[in-house]
Amino acid sequence: MKWKGRRESDNVDDRRSMSGGKIAAGGGVIAIVIILINLFMGGDNSAVLNEINNQLQQQTTTEQTVPLSAQDEEMGRMVKVILADTEDVWHKIFEENGLVYEEPKLVLFRNSVETACGGASSASGPFYCPLDKKVYMDLSFFDELQSRFGAQGGDFAIAYVIAHEVGHHVQTLMGTSAKVRQMQQQLNQADANKLSIALELQADFYAGLWAHYNEEMNQMLEEGDVEEALSAAHAVGDDAIQKRAQGHVVPDSFTHGTSAQRVYWFKKGLNTGQFNAGTTFNDLEI
């Protein structure tokens, strides 16, 4: 994927250098150890207790930071370019359909993050929070995509995932997500899952639509990029994940769609280039 030297989005909040933990200045832990030793030895703890009290009054909390490596910095720039490209494409699509596009924010984090939708860990994978209209990503997910789920990897696999999450943002702007949540409250779990699948497959379609416009407008795609995206889509199908994790599949528990479905809808967006062709809800049997 030809991304270097291209426009970078201003909507990326890179929190990867923040550990998320607080550290206290002072020797409180050491003092407690001294107290325990003194207790067992029959010593006088009054001097140590006075010292602890003084330290507690003076101590401050600081945010622990970890410097980003050169590779981290480059990955951050690539993410900014990909997000900028989704901005350009969706502004164009919305304008063509008489709509105004509102750009989402993208938060890069490590280990855990707090969002308007609640706290989340890296184990959640990339996700979109409709309450704050932000995409959240720990880039270590893409190592797992290869090692655990058997995807090809590559920079366009990252682009596909970002485009998919931005697809959920589009659904929020269009009111689709809110309608789905409202309908799900009135359904049993199996039927509610079907709506979740349709929502996810439409986001895959929107990712394919982004790739179609990207090819038309910017020619950022290189040979093999689409295969990387298809490999990622296939790897995160419910059937592929369940078979890898438990050796069998339970279709009623699917929430994202099968590998074949995810590949199909990505390719439909890529091949048609038609915003209104993402009709993943039409074939539902509820």
Side-chain angles (χ1 to χ4, degrees):
M1 185 176 70
K2 297 176 285 190
W3 64 269
K4 292 185 178 179
R6 300 172 60 84
R7 181 179 80 84
E8 297 180 8
S9 174
D10 295 324
N11 290 314
V12 174
D13 178 7
D14 194 341
R15 303 180 191 174
R16 290 175 297 164
S17 63
M18 299 163 56
S19 71
K22 298 284 186 178
I23 56 173
V29 173
I30 296 173
I32 290 169
V33 171
I34 293 172
I35 286 176
L36 292 173
I37 293 172
N38 282 351
L39 282 172
F40 286 114
M41 298 298 290
D44 181 8
N45 295 309
S46 58
V48 179
L49 287 170
N50 288 334
E51 180 62 23
I52 292 174
N53 187 53
N54 290 335
Q55 288 181 3
L56 286 173
Q57 290 178 8
Q58 296 173 9
Q59 77 178 214
T60 58
T61 56
T62 57
E63 190 77 36
Q64 200 169 24
T65 60
V66 179
L68 297 179
S69 67
Q71 184 180 8
D72 289 334
E73 297 280 7
E74 178 157 316
M75 287 285 283
R77 288 192 293 272
M78 184 180 74
V79 167
K80 290 178 181 179
V81 170
I82 294 168
L83 186 63
D85 194 79
T86 67
E87 291 165 357
D88 294 341
V89 165
W90 282 107
H91 276 299
K92 179 175 174 61
I93 294 173
F94 269 51
E95 185 179 343
E96 289 174 352
N97 289 273
L99 303 168
V100 177
Y101 183 63
E102 176 188 344
E103 297 172 358
K105 302 288 185 182
L106 189 152
V107 178
L108 293 175
F109 70 96
R110 280 196 175 112
N111 301 323
S112 63
V113 68
E114 289 297 323
T115 81
C117 297
S121 71
S122 300
S124 304
F127 64 95
Y128 173 75
C129 173
L131 298 181
D132 57 20
K133 297 180 180 176
K134 293 180 180 179
V135 174
Y136 292 87
M137 298 181 68
D138 184 331
L139 293 175
S140 65
F141 167 79
F142 297 99
D143 295 328
E144 287 198 44
L145 199 60
Q146 289 180 270
S147 60
R148 280 185 63 195
F149 302 112
Q152 268 182 253
D155 48 15
F156 202 75
I158 298 175
Y160 154 71
V161 172
I162 292 174
H164 172 93
E165 298 304 334
V166 170
H168 286 310
H169 176 64
V170 171
Q171 291 170 327
T172 295
L173 297 182
M174 299 296 295
T176 309
S177 298
K179 289 178 184 175
V180 165
R181 285 193 297 273
Q182 187 176 16
M183 291 176 64
Q184 285 176 321
Q185 293 173 2
Q186 304 165 21
L187 298 171
N188 60 46
Q189 191 60 57
D191 286 340
N193 286 348
K194 291 179 183 178
L195 284 174
S196 293
I197 290 171
L199 202 65
E200 293 295 333
L201 295 179
Q202 190 179 63
D204 280 326
F205 170 84
Y206 287 152
L209 185 64
W210 163 77
H212 175 92
Y213 271 76
N214 173 282
E215 205 165 21
E216 272 192 356
M217 294 167 57
N218 304 310
Q219 297 168 346
M220 185 164 69
L221 299 187
E222 294 182 300
E223 186 176 350
D225 281 345
V226 170
E227 285 71 23
E228 289 176 9
L230 295 176
S231 175
H234 186 275
V236 293
D238 283 322
D239 53 342
I241 292 174
Q242 288 188 2
K243 192 167 186 180
R244 191 177 300 273
Q246 59 197 32
H248 64 279
V249 299
V250 184
D252 281 348
S253 68
F254 289 176
T255 57
H256 286 64
T258 66
S259 295
Q261 287 174 319
R262 301 200 70 166
V263 168
Y264 171 83
W265 283 101
F266 176 85
K267 289 176 72 174
K268 186 169 183 179
L270 175 67
N271 294 331
T272 65
Q274 299 296 317
F275 182 45
N276 294 325
T279 54
T280 59
F281 292 91
N282 285 5
D283 298 328
L284 290 181
E285 295 178 4
I286 295 178

